[in-house]
Amino acid sequence: MPAHYARRLVLEPAAPRQIGNYEIISHLKAGGMATLYLARRTGAAGFARHVAIKVVHPHLARENAAFVRMFLDEALLCARIHHPNVVHVEELGEFDGAYFLVMEYVHGTALAQLMKAVAERRRRFTSELAVSIAIQIADGLHAAHELVGEDGQPLGVVHRDVSPHNVLLSYAGHVKVIDFGIAKARSHVNETATKSLKGKLRYMAPEQAFGRTVDRRTDVYALGILLWEMLTLRRLFDGPDDFAVLDMVRDPTPVPPSRYADGISPALDAAVLRALSPRPDDRPARMQEFRRLLAEAVPGATALD
């Protein structure tokens, strides 16, 4: 069961028993902006299927129009993405004055949880496994980057929060990118002129950490960090506090993953370091270009897709 869903399947007193046509099985997780539930939809002839439902906190629905807009943006954007490496959004609805999002249920674990468990056992990912996961993430992000609007023009989607917490691994072997809640897209009316940082600090590209313009190469950089950390099971950027980390993120000096892990080829080192280039122009311009570099560096990884 995914880390997002890894809670005791016990209905909390405050949890609703029904949301729309969905029977609530368990309260899973409550964040600052929404609550996640495990639910089941039933139909004719004994049909039943599990889903995950994200519900906006009622007080935010009433008081924070900007957040509601961001939530709706996420729903409308994700509904457009149809790719096996992106969690599918099935429905947007309204319940008791608040919006809810119905998503496919992924039976597995978050990549962050898996990395933690492997590190605690003093083991490592093989290059083939780490690169296979990265390739599938790249495929999902490429699908998002390539989205076009009703007018046929590119939407300019950038995830902006690519991290091990936002990747799910199913027990069936599938890799799924989740949480486009802060994604940037041309269609989003919620974008403002503020310079507030959006995303997880340790996975930001320098331009993102400075509040500058981001594009698909920003996600390439974040995936480079994620792959570096899968290979080394270390943090690329680590410091005593967020201010120290921010300084490192804004002025990075990445080293090859082979410095901290054996069995990493020069070609894989080169591919990772290219994705981690501080200047966007020096990175692969598209996810599919980064994917090609990885597949060429570790041919065995594609056999694990």
Side-chain angles (χ1 to χ4, degrees), residues 161-265:
D161 199 14
V162 178
S163 73
H165 308 82
N166 287 335
V167 176
L168 299 181
L169 308 177
S170 79
Y171 293 136
H174 305 130
V175 178
K176 304 273 187 176
V177 179
I178 64 169
D179 202 350
F180 283 77
I182 65 165
K184 171 189 173 293
R186 176 174 61 85
S187 61
H188 284 188
V189 299
N190 192 50
E191 288 294 318
T192 68
T194 64
K195 293 296 183 181
S196 60
L197 298 182
K198 295 184 176 182
K200 295 178 182 65
L201 183 59
R202 291 196 299 111
Y203 297 93
M204 287 186 182
E207 66 272 14
Q208 186 177 2
F210 277 111
R212 297 169 182 160
T213 301
V214 299
D215 60 28
R216 61 176 70 195
R217 296 170 298 179
T218 303
D219 285 346
V220 169
Y221 187 95
L223 182 53
I225 297 176
L226 197 160
L227 178 54
W228 191 98
E229 294 188 349
M230 277 196 286
L231 292 167
T232 65
L233 291 179
R234 301 168 61 99
R235 289 184 174 183
L236 180 59
F237 300 116
D238 201 8
D241 54 46
D242 285 348
F243 294 105
V245 173
L246 180 60
D247 286 340
M248 289 185 280
V249 169
R250 286 177 168 175
D251 187 21
T253 54
V255 299
S258 62
R259 179 173 298 187
Y260 299 106
D262 297 330
I264 297 175
S265 69

